[in-house]
Amino acid sequence: MNIDPSQGNAAAFLHRYDGLAERLPGATIPAVRALRDAAAGTLRAGGLPSRRVEAWRYTDLAPMLRAEFREALTAVDGAVAMPVPRADRRAVFVDGRFRADLSSLDGLVAASLAEVIETVAGRLNTVASASQPMVTLNTLLFEDGLVLEVPEGVDAGRLELLSVASGETASTVHPRHLVRLGRGARLVLLETALSTAGARHLHNPVFEIEVAPEAKLTHVRVQRESASAYHLAHLGVRVEEGGTYDGFVLNAGGRISRSETHLALLGPRAAAHLNGAQLVAEGQLADMTTALDHAAPNCASRQTVKTVLAGRSRGVFQGKILVRREAQKTDGYQMNQALLLSEEAEIDSKPQLEIYADDVKCSHGATAGALDADSLFYLRARGIPADTARSMLVRAFLQEAVEVVEDEPARDALEEAVSAWWDQHGGVA
């Protein structure tokens, strides 16, 4: 492989693009090709972020950039182990490609991006920020994704979006998902990312989400990929007047995982919930970064993020609330709490408020500490084994974050992931 070192830390990805450009979806569509070529130019000029970039100062991508990935150039058509369904309808992506044989989209206005790219080309990069480096990388190499429309006034129920890495190749996948809810529409989107044990891959999904006036999207994301994987997700969300985005993210896997959300409240009475939890074990780094833009009056936002760290692990929380001058009567709340189960664990927390309006109610905070010794002693004194007592306290710590998820199947998925993580890592914390 002849890689030009002058292209910096993005050289391998640019080399891959040079070889795949004519085979990628939309190669013959001028608007799509222009987007990809612009992304290539951006990466050639600036590369991928290092810790010298303020937004990435706590998250070092060097291990990922040293890894050797190959493209999974052909779709995996054979049998793939699927978890028990949590919804009647399911969209399944294996190694970044839509699997119609494993999916059921009956009654939904939904399709594979690769199949309908000509009709949706104008929507790419209209919500997600093209200035974000992982969005730029996704734009360069995306091959597929889910395009979903919920028409005005329709309650679409629950849809499970499942992304599976087969582990057959050390590949990179860059799905681009476009989700749009019409006025007054409703949808519960339960997203799960899984991979086989030991699978080494880069999963770099980008969501572009539009919530129309009075619509509500409940979006629960569960990331349970292998400890050898890299998961770097970016969500761009726009919420119009009276609309609600109710989001929850659980990071419970990956060597390096980062969930980055940029959300704008664009009309009066719009609301956003950006809650989440991170479970981080030996040798892992989990980063939750959010930027919430209050751009209209009488809007509310809530964010509670809890992080549990075991062994030599590292957690990151960066949350910014921007309140613009016209966003009077804003009600914003942000809290980050970390529970360190090891003296070698580390948390970097950076909550921020930037307020230009004068009639607002905003607060933020961050705490970090170990398990409460008195509570642990209380449980042990009543005959509860040490591991069970620790598990009870950790679950109690997480409960405040998880219990805000109203959808029962989604909440069950979160609780299952928490149990699986504790079974694997609780005893060696």
Side-chain angles (χ1 to χ4, degrees):
M1 180 182 296
N2 296 317
I3 296 178
D4 182 356
S6 68
Q7 296 178 347
N9 62 9
F13 296 105
L14 290 165
H15 178 84
R16 190 170 294 117
Y17 174 65
D18 291 339
L20 293 175
E22 302 303 326
R23 302 165 59 184
L24 292 170
T28 60
I29 301 173
V32 177
R33 188 59 180 264
L35 279 176
R36 294 195 193 271
D37 288 345
T42 299
L43 288 175
R44 287 192 177 95
L48 291 170
S50 69
R51 295 183 67 182
R52 288 176 292 182
V53 177
E54 178 62 25
W56 293 81
R57 64 179 298 187
Y58 303 117
T59 299
D60 187 2
L61 294 182
M64 183 196 82
L65 297 173
R66 288 194 297 266
E68 292 186 3
F69 297 108
R70 295 172 293 163
E71 285 301 318
L73 297 178
T74 57
V76 177
D77 295 323
V80 178
M82 290 286 109
V84 176
R86 297 187 184 276
D88 293 334
R89 291 170 296 188
R90 171 185 268 186
V92 178
F93 291 80
V94 178
D95 292 336
R97 294 172 175 82
F98 181 67
R99 283 284 298 266
D101 59 316
L102 301 175
S103 302
S104 175
L105 298 175
D106 295 342
L108 292 175
V109 183
S112 157
L113 174 62
E115 296 177 358
V116 298
I117 189 168
E118 187 170 3
T119 63
V120 299
R123 290 173 54 189
L124 296 170
N125 280 12
T126 57
V127 177
S129 173
S131 64
Q132 298 296 323
M134 301 316 297
V135 175
T136 301
L137 181 59
N138 179 285
T139 301
L140 188 76
L141 291 169
F142 76 83
E143 294 190 52
D144 211 344
L146 178 68
V147 178
L148 174 63
E149 300 265 356
V150 183
E152 179 176 345
V154 171
D155 185 341
R158 186 184 305 109
L159 171 66
E160 186 175 14
L161 173 58
L162 186 61
S163 298
V164 181
S166 68
E168 295 193 2
T169 60
S171 62
T172 70
V173 294
H174 310 269
R176 178 66 67 99
H177 303 296
L178 308 178
V179 179
R180 184 156 60 187
L181 273 64
R183 176 181 286 271
R186 296 288 187 273
L187 174 69
V188 176
L189 182 61
L190 173 54
E191 177 197 350
T192 305
L194 299 170
S195 59
T196 56
R200 181 171 60 86
H201 62 279
L202 166 61
H203 185 192
N204 176 37
V206 169
F207 282 81
E208 301 197 60
I209 298 173
E210 299 175 75
V211 180
E214 310 302 332
K216 181 178 180 180
L217 173 61
T218 299
H219 187 189
V220 177
R221 309 177 61 236
V222 182
Q223 188 270 117
R224 298 179 61 184
E225 295 177 306
S226 83
S228 302
Y230 301 92
H231 183 98
L232 304 171
H234 184 103
L235 281 75
V237 186
R238 290 181 180 175
V239 185
E240 301 289 347
E241 179 179 359
T244 299
Y245 177 84
D246 188 359
F248 191 97
V249 180
L250 175 65
N251 281 327
R255 181 176 177 181
I256 296 176
S257 65
R258 176 175 167 118
S259 175
E260 182 167 354
T261 302
H262 292 250
L263 186 147
L265 298 173
L266 299 175
R269 298 180 296 102
H273 305 146
L274 296 180
N275 300 309
Q278 302 190 105
L279 307 177
V280 200
E282 177 74 27
Q284 294 179 314
L285 183 151
D287 176 340
M288 196 170 295
T289 293
T290 62
L292 208 160
D293 183 354
H294 281 262
N298 295 292
C299 293
S301 64
R302 294 289 182 270
Q303 183 172 32
T304 298
V305 175
K306 304 226 174 186
T307 303
V308 178
L309 300 111
R312 288 174 296 179
S313 61
R314 188 171 183 182
V316 177
F317 171 78
Q318 299 180 104
K320 180 177 180 178
I321 296 177
L322 168 64
V323 182
R324 298 183 183 273
R325 188 177 304 278
E326 59 270 28
Q328 304 294 338
K329 305 294 184 182
T330 285
D331 182 0
Y333 172 81
Q334 180 186 83
M335 174 59 70
N336 173 230
Q337 296 175 311
L339 181 60
L340 283 67
L341 304 180
S342 163
E343 293 183 355
E344 298 176 298
E346 177 182 340
I347 180 73
D348 294 294
S349 187
K350 186 182 176 184
Q352 296 175 274
L353 294 176
E354 186 175 340
I355 301 174
Y356 297 97
D358 53 19
D359 185 6
V360 303
K361 183 173 67 174
C362 290
S363 62
H364 67 174
T367 65
L371 285 172
D372 183 69
D374 291 340
S375 298
L376 192 58
F377 176 80
Y378 177 88
L379 295 172
R380 293 298 312 282
R382 280 150 183 77
I384 298 175
D387 286 350
T388 302
R390 285 161 58 86
S391 175
M392 291 172 64
L393 293 176
V394 170
R395 288 172 182 274
F397 172 77
L398 292 170
Q399 186 62 31
E400 180 186 353
V402 174
E403 68 184 3
V404 301
V405 177
E406 298 177 355
D407 185 74
E408 185 174 352
R411 194 167 58 249
D412 289 345
L414 294 171
E415 291 173 352
E416 178 186 298
V418 170
S419 295
W421 184 88
W422 183 259
D423 289 344
Q424 183 176 359
H425 302 291
V428 295

